[in-house]
Amino acid sequence: MQAPVVQLSELTKNLGSYRAVDDLTLTVPRGSMSGVVGPNGAGKTTTLSMATLRPDGGRVEILGHDVWRDPARAKSLIGVLPDGLRTFDRLSGRELLRHTGLLHGVDVIDVARRSDQLLDALGLDEAADKIVAEYSAGMTKKIGLACAFIHAPRVWARVWARGSSSRRCPNCSRRSTPEPCDALTGASRHARDCMGTHR
């Protein structure tokens, strides 16, 4: 039996005296899109953040890999796009993708190939050598999305601000859930399992 995409087991997180997540168990099966919704302060973003924020109790597994016992492998499987992400905007789009890919340990040749695919899929090929600081808001969202996919993650996590216009896929006009468009998933090869939350 294959391990689920995400397995949260008895997850607990305290922020000071406030219990943000209380004994949460959640299974996200393969091939699915899952959303976490609720009022402000319910612990949605804190739950997803426990891929990098150590819980006070419980366990997080990504495709069977424990995030805290095998962090490098578990985190290599995830592509994350937070809302309002700051980037190294003095780099060109192509340079930013190269920088991000190398930080993820992707081979230089693969970084170049994937960069070309993602830039083309997102319509950024003509702006690839322009610095990101000169990008429009929409282009900046697209290059952030490309960075989230440069290492061909198996799982994609997206955090939206409530009411954010970025709930629409940056590459097409149709209303979008956390699932990226077909061109983007084709370029990134693997990411078909998605989780999302609003904050």
Side-chain angles (χ1 to χ4, degrees):
M1 179 175 165
Q2 290 185 320
V5 174
V6 178
Q7 178 65 56
L8 310 180
S9 302
E10 301 177 348
L11 205 60
T12 300
K13 182 64 182 179
N14 297 313
L15 301 177
S17 60
Y18 176 67
R19 177 153 289 192
V21 179
D22 187 14
D23 196 30
L24 174 65
T25 295
L26 173 69
T27 300
V28 178
R30 293 187 182 224
S32 69
M33 293 185 296
S34 300
V36 183
V37 297
N40 290 340
K44 306 175 299 297
T45 300
T46 301
T47 297
L48 289 188
S49 296
M50 277 187 273
T52 55
L53 181 69
R54 186 181 289 275
D56 294 313
R59 189 174 70 253
V60 180
E61 294 181 352
I62 306 295
L63 291 165
H65 298 273
D66 189 295
V67 168
W68 291 103
R69 291 181 180 174
D70 189 8
R73 178 57 179 154
K75 293 174 186 179
S76 73
L77 298 169
I78 308 170
V80 180
L81 182 60
D83 200 64
L85 177 68
R86 296 294 298 269
T87 63
F88 297 104
D89 62 3
R90 304 310 296 180
L91 299 176
S92 70
R94 191 183 305 279
E95 289 169 339
L96 181 59
L97 285 172
R98 184 176 190 275
H99 173 76
T100 305
L102 294 178
L103 284 177
H104 278 289
V106 182
D107 178 82
V108 173
I109 295 174
D110 285 340
V111 167
R113 177 178 54 80
R114 291 178 190 168
S115 294
D116 286 342
Q117 291 174 336
L118 288 164
L119 289 164
D120 179 64
L122 287 166
L124 290 173
D125 44 332
E126 293 185 4
D129 298 311
K130 180 187 292 187
I131 65 170
V132 174
E134 296 177 359
Y135 281 14
S136 68
M139 292 165 69
T140 301
K141 289 175 184 176
K142 287 182 179 183
I143 199 66
L145 192 58
C147 287
F149 277 86
I150 189 65
H151 61 297
R154 295 285 305 277
V155 182
W156 185 39
R158 177 75 168 97
V159 179
W160 287 300
R162 181 176 289 182
S164 170
S165 62
S166 62
R167 294 186 187 200
R168 292 184 180 274
C169 174
N171 196 38
C172 51
S173 60
R174 61 182 170 82
R175 185 163 182 83
S176 178
T177 58
E179 183 180 26
C181 65
D182 291 341
L184 187 55
T185 50
S188 63
R189 290 175 30 213
H190 295 305
R192 294 289 184 179
D193 303 300
C194 309
M195 284 191 71
T197 180
H198 71 77
R199 59 174 173 82

